Amino acid sequence: MHLGEFRIGKKLGNGRFGSVYLAQHKESGYIVALKVLRKREALSQGTERSVSHEIGIGTQLRHFNLVPLYGWFHDRENVYIVMEYAEAGELYNKVGKVTVQEALEVVLQVGRGLYFLHQHGIVHRDIKPENILCYQHGIYKVGDLGGVGGIGVVGTLDYLAPESIAGSTGGLSVSPVSTPVDVWACGVLLYELLEGRPPFERPTREGTLRAISKEGYLRTPKIVEDARVVKILERCLVKRGEERWTIREMVEYLEGAICNIR
């Protein structure tokens, strides 16, 4: 593939090292999302490995709840990743606007995608509403696989698990991460979908880190009114990673808890 094979449309969003555009493959007429990553920025930030991860995993692994990558190419300035287009946009646009049942369905589908990754020894490490794409008919898929695996801190502050934080107010660890960090993130995601804000968000970075490490989440009326939500948060937002549910246990619970709404 090369850039001349595509008609480039509107910008869909901005990423860490580039932007995502709506595009059409000229020969087939197929609509895709084209991620354009600037080589210079990726190299200057030492994140070329992240780009390689995203391409490798996205093109080799296939699951219904993972955003598929169709291919990639590059020129002198950029790397281009051809992805499935999500017509309903990012989950971020639905934060605080969904019903309990919709929120549970989102977490179930995200959990299924993560379970598939975990079965292949892969930890996502950056689950958040911006990295989950929405499709028609209530389908949700996990995207942005650039941070998977490895050592070091990857992720968004409000979604970091306690084991990623070295001190109560300060630095971040550089320890190898494991699958419980994705389970924690699912709990944070469920809370934010319902409340419109993450459970440990504070006015300062230090305050947020302290809350993640040592404080509980606010049990608002919306959170406590549904026993399923309470159960998931109690088992996912556990400070010690080894005491949390596995992603498989979370998925199995959700499949039983919401089967009556399908």
Side-chain angles (χ1 to χ4, degrees), residues 86-228:
E87 64 275 5
E90 296 177 354
L91 181 63
Y92 182 79
N93 299 321
K94 295 188 176 186
V95 166
K97 304 174 184 177
V98 299
T99 66
V100 170
Q101 291 182 341
E102 289 171 330
L104 293 174
E105 182 66 40
V106 169
V107 176
L108 171 59
Q109 294 190 43
V110 169
R112 286 172 172 163
L114 290 174
Y115 180 46
F116 178 77
L117 291 177
H118 290 186
Q119 286 180 305
H120 287 81
I122 298 168
V123 185
H124 187 283
R125 304 202 294 170
D126 198 16
I127 291 299
K128 59 182 177 180
E130 294 90 335
N131 288 342
I132 299 164
L133 300 184
C134 309
Y135 298 77
Q136 293 179 353
H137 311 299
I139 295 170
Y140 302 92
K141 301 186 181 185
V142 177
D144 197 347
L145 301 177
V148 301
I151 294 176
V153 175
V154 172
T156 302
L157 176 63
D158 292 320
Y159 277 73
L160 288 177
E163 58 265 38
S164 298
I165 300 171
S168 59
T169 63
L172 301 178
S173 71
V174 289
S175 302
V177 295
S178 56
T179 54
V181 301
D182 285 344
V183 179
W184 173 274
C186 286
V188 176
L189 177 65
L190 177 59
Y191 191 102
E192 184 173 13
L193 282 172
L194 295 174
E195 286 295 324
R197 61 178 181 82
F200 304 103
E201 182 183 56
R202 301 293 186 269
T204 65
R205 173 185 173 86
E206 292 74 17
T208 298
L209 292 172
R210 186 182 300 109
I212 291 170
S213 296
K214 298 186 175 182
E215 299 176 15
Y217 54 88
L218 183 62
R219 288 165 169 79
T220 66
K222 185 181 291 187
I223 292 299
V224 301
E225 70 181 0
D226 193 292
R228 298 169 297 178

Side-chain angles (χ1 to χ4, degrees), residues 1-163:
M1 289 184 290
H2 57 84
L3 192 58
E5 295 183 44
F6 297 88
R7 296 185 182 91
I8 309 300
K10 66 178 181 179
K11 181 184 289 189
L12 299 175
N14 294 312
R16 283 173 289 180
F17 334 113
S19 302
V20 181
Y21 296 87
L22 184 67
Q24 183 182 41
H25 187 249
K26 293 178 182 178
E27 182 176 348
S28 66
Y30 201 76
I31 301 297
V32 298
L34 186 67
K35 181 181 284 190
V36 183
L37 304 173
R38 295 179 289 273
K39 287 183 177 180
R40 179 178 296 179
E41 291 191 19
L43 288 170
S44 66
Q45 297 180 36
T47 50
E48 63 271 21
R49 184 180 178 186
S50 173
V51 176
S52 177
H53 274 153
E54 181 169 11
I55 292 172
I57 293 171
T59 55
Q60 294 176 31
L61 296 182
R62 288 285 187 268
H63 185 273
F64 183 74
N65 295 116
L66 298 179
V67 177
L69 270 58
Y70 299 136
W72 69 283
F73 55 95
H74 68 98
D75 56 26
R76 188 171 182 177
E77 296 182 350
N78 302 310
V79 174
Y80 303 88
I81 302 178
V82 185
M83 308 182 299
E84 181 179 65
Y85 170 58
E87 64 275 5
E90 296 177 354
L91 181 63
Y92 182 79
N93 299 321
K94 295 188 176 186
V95 166
K97 304 174 184 177
V98 299
T99 66
V100 170
Q101 291 182 341
E102 289 171 330
L104 293 174
E105 182 66 40
V106 169
V107 176
L108 171 59
Q109 294 190 43
V110 169
R112 286 172 172 163
L114 290 174
Y115 180 46
F116 178 77
L117 291 177
H118 290 186
Q119 286 180 305
H120 287 81
I122 298 168
V123 185
H124 187 283
R125 304 202 294 170
D126 198 16
I127 291 299
K128 59 182 177 180
E130 294 90 335
N131 288 342
I132 299 164
L133 300 184
C134 309
Y135 298 77
Q136 293 179 353
H137 311 299
I139 295 170
Y140 302 92
K141 301 186 181 185
V142 177
D144 197 347
L145 301 177
V148 301
I151 294 176
V153 175
V154 172
T156 302
L157 176 63
D158 292 320
Y159 277 73
L160 288 177
E163 58 265 38

